Amino acid sequence: MTYTSERPPIAESSDSLRARIPGWGADLDPKNRPSVPKLQWQEDRSGAHWDFPERQPEKWPRERSIEHEFLTPVFGTSCPPKGLSGALRKFSYRKYSEGRAAHWLLLLAADRVDAWESHLRSFATLRPDNPITETGVLSEFTRHGFSSRVGKKRADVKHHLADPIIVAGPWVLAAGLAYSAARKLLRRR
């Protein structure tokens, strides 16, 4: 069973593996292993001193891959799902296996949505995001940005023309929409 201290059965013996695979078991001799004094094998255990680890409490329903019967005993809680990005992540885990591209594409989309949610949330604070300083645009002019790419046979040169559109395009679009909305409001008055 997964997450227990029981050791899974070995399919082949050490001798058959050594005969079939050159160099197999080279570290089995304690003289060839510098960490042997620390490794004291217990016949009845795999080295774990528990039968099943204590489960971390779940404060909210966590995402769990459909391949697993239950949530792992310990899991990360640094980024709880929130908003539309959280809904996309939950849908991805609930609907698709981790072996499907749709699962990972939905998680990538959720990351992009989360970035935009954070950008929008920053406008409600006293220190909103600054796309000029936070995207590294100024370093193009102060840190030899152009000369580091020209004539260097870098593989990423092909997409450099698209980078300003990808990075600045959404900000320019958002500013244009805000400007047109403000202009319509001023015309109505």
Side-chain angles (χ1 to χ4, degrees):
M1 182 180 166
T2 327
Y3 310 121
T4 63
S5 61
E6 297 170 8
R7 189 175 186 183
I10 297 175
E12 292 185 58
S13 70
S14 297
D15 294 330
S16 66
L17 286 170
R18 195 174 293 110
R20 187 169 54 88
I21 304 169
W24 188 92
D27 60 345
L28 289 179
D29 185 9
K31 294 177 207 155
N32 295 335
R33 295 174 65 202
S35 63
V36 162
K38 291 190 275 182
L39 301 177
Q40 298 298 323
W41 178 256
Q42 299 175 3
E43 287 298 323
D44 60 333
R45 299 280 183 206
S46 65
H49 302 290
W50 37 260
D51 287 324
F52 191 85
E54 184 180 332
R55 295 186 69 78
Q56 179 179 344
E58 239 183 298
K59 294 181 181 166
W60 57 84
R62 298 297 309 188
E63 303 83 30
R64 175 183 57 84
S65 175
I66 59 177
E67 284 93 6
H68 297 285
E69 185 178 344
F70 51 85
L71 194 62
T72 58
V74 178
F75 49 86
T77 57
S78 65
C79 185
K82 61 185 180 296
L84 180 61
S85 62
L88 280 171
R89 285 187 179 97
K90 287 178 182 179
F91 175 75
S92 172
Y93 278 100
R94 186 176 58 244
K95 179 81 172 157
Y96 297 107
S97 161
E98 289 184 16
R100 302 269 313 270
H103 173 81
W104 299 105
L105 289 173
L106 280 169
L107 291 179
L108 284 171
D111 285 345
R112 294 293 85 219
V113 169
D114 187 34
W116 273 103
E117 286 174 342
S118 297
H119 290 317
L120 293 174
R121 202 172 16 262
S122 78
F123 290 122
T125 66
L126 295 176
R127 299 187 68 144
D129 290 348
N130 183 347
I132 302 297
T133 58
E134 292 176 9
T135 57
V137 171
L138 296 178
S139 66
E140 285 292 318
F141 306 107
T142 59
R143 304 277 185 222
H144 312 291
F146 184 74
S147 63
S148 70
R149 287 192 289 275
V150 177
K152 305 291 185 196
K153 295 185 180 180
R154 287 177 45 168
D156 60 345
V157 172
K158 294 177 183 170
H159 69 77
H160 283 168
L161 293 176
D163 282 350
I165 298 166
I166 294 169
V167 173
W171 289 103
V172 171
L173 179 65
L177 290 173
Y179 174 75
S180 66
R183 200 167 159 192
K184 282 182 183 178
L185 282 174
L186 289 175
R187 281 187 187 166
R188 286 185 183 167
R189 288 185 175 188

